[in-house]
Amino acid sequence: MKISSAEVVVTSPGRNFVTLRITTDEGLTGLGDGTLNGRELAVVAYLRDHVAPLLIGRDPANIEDTWQSLYRGSYWRRGPVTMAAIAAVDVALWDIKAKCAGMPLYQLLGGASRTGALAYGHASGRDLPELFDSIRAHLAEGFRAIRVQTAIPGLGTVYGVATSGGGDTRYDYEPAQRHPQPVEETWDTRAYLRHLPGVFEAVRAEFGPELPLLHDGHHRMTPIQAAKLGKELEPYDLFWLEDATPAEDQNALRLIRQHTTTPLAIGEVFNSVHDYTTLLSERLIDYVRSAVTHAGGVTAMKKLLDLAGVYGIRSGIHGPTDISPVGMAAALHLDLAIHNFGIQEFMPHSARTLEVFRTSYRFTDGLLHPSDTPGLGVELDDDAAAAHPYVPAYLPVNRLTDGTVHDW
Ligand code: EZ4
Ligand code: CO
């Protein structure tokens, strides 16, 4: 069997998605996700101009060889654009292989290690009553683990918080904020540090000790600020504190770790196992946050998670709405198969997105299952995709109250 075409589909049903469809001379197709939020067209050009021509004529069965050819063979390696492009190819080839085998992908990864993957949902509120309502709504939807984000007194819109109340409100730029320029938000880390422990105290008092609670610091603290927050949150027994510091400095985690037993999760912006070597070998984190879509696909994620498992570190695969349903399905097959599964982030996609991407994964009683459909279990509706052309959209930019650009 040979690859006969590799076609890039860009669609924007509320937000932009980049999908690679690989077709073989026997008519089999596989889908891969290469969506890189705010830099989508860089991956499109990389795939269309520099990868697709190299794939034609290759044997789709040789996934490891194709991965290594694209990684080592390009000379320029790593980086989010390259690794998202490689991920798109890798996941599409796994989809083809599993369809060929007539099995769901998780069977090729070793079979099911659990009945389903514990998912966490994103609750948020501008004040405590709104936050409590949001937590209750997520519990009613079946979530058994909840991420908690709140507004900060004195600041306007901040990461992770829905901007208006009501049932269908999404915080996460769903629909994405589609402007030719990023919107700007204002940030004050000291105000955040003063406010957050009281929020978790109130949530624990209202919802009791059992419910797993998570929080995303979204790269805004210095190491010593993160250490202080981790200590102050210890009484509220977080499942994890995510992205406490900008994660490219692995040594920063050593300082945080010395001060707090709050579990730490990091890595959604990482794209290589080499971003993790110190963090894993020194056990500086508890959860690996990389996305299949941004870290080289199933092939690379399996190796990364196996290495994490050597150190007793578990998975917490990134699953925001800017990962397409194709990338989400790939994550779910890994979640079901690996031994050291921790938790899966799950922000349900919009109805419009799910008209473009026909999924078969299920969410039942707080657990996600990729389904037993052969392959990934996701198909792309070309007509629906074509109805939603690309729209420029960027993540926000953060500025401190004095105007200094800060990590968002
Ligand atoms: O801000 O995926 O844990 N989830 C996150 C996400 C990220 C977006 C960036 O594109 O931090 O909401
Ligand atoms: Co995050």
Side-chain angles (χ1 to χ4, degrees):
M1 192 159 42
K2 288 189 180 348
I3 295 173
S4 53
S5 79
E7 163 205 5
V8 186
V9 179
V10 180
T11 182
S12 193
R15 64 182 321 131
N16 295 312
F17 295 108
V18 176
T19 309
L20 180 70
R21 181 192 279 121
I22 295 180
T23 306
T24 75
D25 54 2
E26 295 180 14
L28 276 170
T29 61
L31 297 178
D33 178 25
T35 308
L36 185 61
N37 202 0
R39 294 293 183 272
E40 297 88 356
L41 299 186
V43 184
V44 171
Y46 194 110
L47 280 170
R48 189 194 52 214
D49 299 339
H50 301 297
V51 171
L54 310 181
L55 295 177
I56 309 303
R58 293 185 75 97
D59 184 343
N62 298 339
I63 300 177
E64 179 73 26
D65 182 67
T66 300
W67 196 99
Q68 299 295 347
S69 301
L70 293 174
Y71 183 80
R72 291 173 205 281
S74 67
Y75 188 67
W76 311 108
R77 55 187 69 179
R78 302 173 63 178
V81 176
T82 296
M83 298 312 283
I86 293 177
V89 174
D90 184 79
V91 170
L93 294 181
W94 277 110
D95 191 16
I96 289 172
K97 189 181 279 293
K99 283 179 181 168
C100 245
M103 292 180 184
L105 173 57
Y106 73 82
Q107 290 292 0
L108 305 190
L109 302 175
S113 289
R114 55 195 52 78
T115 55
L118 177 68
Y120 72 91
H122 287 196
S124 73
R126 286 166 300 183
D127 51 25
L128 285 178
E130 205 175 273
L131 175 62
F132 288 3
D133 284 350
S134 174
I135 294 173
R136 284 191 199 98
H138 280 82
L139 294 174
E141 283 169 38
F143 281 101
R144 291 194 218 154
I146 307 279
R147 193 185 83 160
V148 170
Q149 307 290 135
T150 68
I152 314 297
L155 301 182
T157 305
V158 296
Y159 169 78
V161 182
T163 48
S164 60
D168 212 25
T169 306
R170 312 290 299 253
Y171 86 84
D172 194 40
Y173 313 103
E174 174 79 29
Q177 294 187 9
R178 305 203 285 179
H179 305 294
Q181 293 288 327
V183 299
E184 296 200 343
E185 295 179 354
T186 305
W187 183 250
D188 179 345
T189 310
R190 292 187 69 240
Y192 163 75
L193 293 174
R194 282 195 302 277
H195 184 63
L196 196 69
V199 171
F200 272 91
E201 183 183 19
V203 171
R204 271 288 173 232
E206 180 74 13
F207 293 94
E210 291 271 337
L211 181 65
L213 297 175
L214 302 85
H215 178 72
D216 193 344
H218 226 261
H219 328 273
R220 286 144 195 232
M221 289 172 271
T222 64
I224 202 69
Q225 287 172 333
K228 175 179 154 72
L229 181 66
K231 269 169 85 163
E232 287 181 2
L233 292 178
E234 280 173 23
Y236 316 116
D237 190 27
L238 265 62
F239 186 96
W240 79 33
L241 172 61
E242 174 184 344
D243 285 336
T245 54
E248 58 263 49
D249 182 5
Q250 295 188 46
N251 295 315
L253 272 292
R254 209 177 280 129
L255 190 147
I256 304 170
R257 200 64 153 174
Q258 283 160 357
H259 289 280
T260 180
T261 57
T262 292
L264 302 172
I266 222 155
E268 70 181 47
V269 301
F270 290 0
N271 49 68
S272 163
V273 65
H274 300 290
D275 294 321
Y276 282 101
T277 45
T278 303
L279 299 178
L280 298 182
S281 64
E282 296 189 26
R283 295 183 171 83
L284 301 181
I285 58 171
D286 301 279
Y287 296 93
V288 162
R289 287 286 290 141
S290 282
V292 178
T293 300
H294 299 142
V298 167
T299 297
M301 284 293 281
K302 181 73 168 69
K303 294 177 188 184
L304 167 61
L305 294 170
D306 284 346
L307 179 62
V310 169
Y311 299 100
I313 295 167
R314 295 192 286 157
S315 70
I317 300 181
H318 196 207
T321 42
D322 48 282
I323 300 290
S324 90
V326 174
M328 188 68 197
L332 297 183
H333 287 280
L334 275 164
D335 290 340
L336 208 67
I338 59 172
H339 175 67
N340 55 325
F341 170 75
I343 201 164
Q344 173 64 53
E345 183 178 30
F346 180 43
M347 296 184 66
H349 286 100
S350 67
R352 229 181 337 161
T353 296
L354 295 174
E355 281 164 18
V356 174
F357 296 93
R358 310 280 174 170
T359 57
S360 52
Y361 49 79
R362 309 184 292 267
F363 178 62
T364 323
D365 295 333
L367 304 184
L368 283 158
H369 191 286
S371 92
D372 285 317
T373 307
L376 283 172
V378 181
E379 294 302 329
L380 180 69
D381 182 324
D382 286 292
D383 293 334
H388 304 291
Y390 169 79
V391 179
Y394 293 99
L395 286 163
V397 167
N398 242 352
R399 288 187 187 276
L400 301 179
T401 49
D402 72 353
T404 307
V405 172
H406 192 66
D407 304 82
W408 182 76

